Amino acid sequence: LIAFLLAAVIQAAGLDRRLALTLLHKARVKTVNGVIWAMFGVNFVLALIVPGANPRAALQLPVIQGITDLLGKTPEERDAKKAIVIQSMVYGSMIAGMCILTAHLPNLVVVGLFQSKLNLEISYFNWFLLQWPYMGMFVITQWWIQRFFKTRKRAIDGGAEIIKKQHSELPRMSQTEWLILACFTLIAILWMTEGVTKIKSHVAAMIGLALLFIPGLFNFKWKEIEERTIWGTFLMLGGALSMSSVMGSSGLAQWLADYIHPIAAGHSWWVILLIMMVGTHIIRLGMLSNVAAVSLFAPILLVLAPKFGLHPVAFTMLVADTDTFAYILPTQVTVAVIAYSSGTFSMADYAKVGWVSVLLAIAYGILVMAPWYAFMGIPIWDPSAPWPF
């Protein structure tokens, strides 16, 4: 809730749009690939301050539409629009969200599960240490997107000019905006130095929130904050955390795990991972919401790990994280539904490029993330490895 209120303060001050346009303006984008890379930078910066991929996508939609409107209706230009919207809004939002604990709600579900069932705490900074290699996924999906839509050298005439115009129309930075940025800088420093200061991430966020709500400091009212707070998403997260907890405490996760276990038992760790990743992706075809999917799968995965002789944290995170990259149907991820509303691509377009992106995500999890977790001290093949943090 603290994270949602902090994001509402940013939106009430108009800082989210200012940051997005400033980054795009500084990038001076002139090509399709330039726009995509610049928007990934926007995604990452917004991920630091806006919890949840959905509000970030809603913010980006008008900015991206302003850029795609510069392209015409030739087949090549339509393909360029598809590449920009799918890679920037969907893939970029998911990948950036994986690295920042508060930027992707399933992250909180997984961390809460580890805390309640294994008595393990993962701090904001430690989560980033574990997850930052997922940034490489954007390089791989960008290679595939530009290859599929043939956008490698496609230019956008007037792209830099329209972004410059929108940026110039922004008012000068006010004292309020500078104070908010200073407050968020303090919160970020406290989050990153949690191991030194011993101030928990939620306490640091509460300190920042208290500073932002000092009476008379800012000119916006509570009503403006309340209107911009994503209460529906907050309630959905609360329900997801409750469902995840109940699945574990009621024995449902254990019962389901007993049925799933024979399918993958007896194989090496990477084969088990492959079977579980493919299997959960098939189930994901009928699920709208990463939060619901991870809330369903994570307790089962946590119970399955000791049955397979695998590290519970590494196994749960690898499978649950890969399920975030559900790119076959737009209806699998709410962000993709928002992107689909732009009218730039069809379901067939999304599926044709998406099924390969899913395979790339699975391969990335097995070949890159599993060895990285081992390097960080939680090898999936060693369930007895001591907790390194």
Side-chain angles (χ1 to χ4, degrees), residues 97-126:
M98 295 297 297
C99 303
I100 309 299
L101 178 59
T102 55
H104 189 48
L105 300 185
N107 299 347
L108 303 177
V109 174
V110 171
V111 168
L113 184 67
F114 293 155
Q115 186 172 12
S116 63
K117 299 301 179 185
L118 303 178
N119 198 29
L120 298 176
E121 289 193 17
I122 301 180
S123 69
Y124 187 93
F125 186 60
N126 288 337

Side-chain angles (χ1 to χ4, degrees), residues 118-241:
L118 303 178
N119 198 29
L120 298 176
E121 289 193 17
I122 301 180
S123 69
Y124 187 93
F125 186 60
N126 288 337
W127 179 271
F128 182 77
L129 286 178
L130 285 172
Q131 299 293 81
W132 73 263
Y134 270 118
M135 302 279 279
M137 269 287 296
F138 192 81
V139 178
I140 295 174
T141 55
Q142 171 65 352
W143 165 82
W144 167 239
I145 285 282
Q146 71 179 17
R147 180 181 177 86
F148 183 84
F149 290 116
K150 300 179 175 61
T151 61
R152 184 173 179 81
K153 297 181 180 179
R154 188 160 304 284
I156 301 179
D157 296 329
E161 286 73 19
I162 193 171
I163 292 171
K164 181 180 179 181
K165 180 177 181 295
Q166 291 183 20
H167 182 263
S168 65
E169 292 171 352
L170 291 171
R172 293 178 62 86
M173 281 279 288
S174 65
Q175 181 181 0
T176 294
E177 290 174 307
W178 283 115
L179 286 172
I180 292 173
L181 280 181
C183 188
F184 270 88
T185 301
L186 172 63
I187 294 171
I189 292 172
L190 290 176
W191 278 344
M192 289 185 288
T193 58
E194 180 178 342
V196 178
T197 63
K198 306 303 180 184
I199 298 175
K200 298 297 182 182
S201 57
H202 58 278
V203 176
M206 193 65 191
I207 292 171
L209 191 65
L211 292 174
L212 290 171
F213 278 85
I214 292 176
L217 187 61
F218 301 117
N219 56 8
F220 46 76
K221 306 297 182 185
W222 165 250
K223 183 174 177 59
E224 296 176 78
I225 305 299
E226 188 274 332
E227 288 175 346
R228 290 171 171 82
T229 302
I230 46 178
W231 298 109
T233 305
F234 171 66
L235 291 173
M236 182 178 70
L237 175 61
L241 290 169

Side-chain angles (χ1 to χ4, degrees), residues 223-304:
K223 183 174 177 59
E224 296 176 78
I225 305 299
E226 188 274 332
E227 288 175 346
R228 290 171 171 82
T229 302
I230 46 178
W231 298 109
T233 305
F234 171 66
L235 291 173
M236 182 178 70
L237 175 61
L241 290 169
S242 298
M243 184 176 74
S244 176
S245 177
V246 168
M247 284 188 68
S249 60
S250 67
L252 178 59
Q254 179 69 53
W255 182 77
L256 291 171
D258 289 338
Y259 275 92
I260 298 170
H261 174 255
I263 300 173
H267 297 287
S268 58
W269 67 267
W270 69 269
V271 176
I272 294 173
L273 262 186
L274 180 62
I275 292 171
M276 295 304 300
M277 287 175 173
V278 172
T280 50
H281 265 292
I282 293 172
I283 298 172
R284 282 288 279 114
L285 289 171
M287 301 182 72
L288 170 61
S289 170
N290 280 322
V291 179
V294 172
S295 299
L296 171 65
F297 295 140
I300 302 171
L301 296 169
L302 196 63
V303 173
L304 276 173

Side-chain angles (χ1 to χ4, degrees), residues 316-332:
T316 302
M317 288 182 66
L318 285 167
V319 180
D321 288 350
T322 304
D323 284 330
T324 290
F325 307 124
Y327 298 149
I328 297 176
L329 297 175
T331 52
Q332 292 180 270

Side-chain angles (χ1 to χ4, degrees), residues 328-385:
I328 297 176
L329 297 175
T331 52
Q332 292 180 270
V333 184
T334 310
V335 172
V337 176
I338 297 173
Y340 184 72
S341 70
S342 67
T344 54
F345 62 87
S346 66
M347 284 202 175
D349 295 324
Y350 190 83
K352 287 176 184 176
V353 70
W355 73 271
V356 175
S357 298
V358 169
L359 294 180
L360 291 173
I362 291 173
Y364 196 87
I366 296 173
L367 299 176
V368 177
M369 294 309 299
W372 172 251
Y373 286 171
F375 177 76
M376 292 299 294
I378 50 173
I380 185 173
W381 50 82
D382 183 6
S384 62

Side-chain angles (χ1 to χ4, degrees), residues 24 34-44 60 63-64 67 88:
L24 287 171
V35 168
I36 291 173
W37 279 105
M39 287 307 302
F40 183 65
V42 169
N43 255 311
F44 187 77
Q60 294 174 66
V63 177
I64 289 177
I67 297 171
S88 298

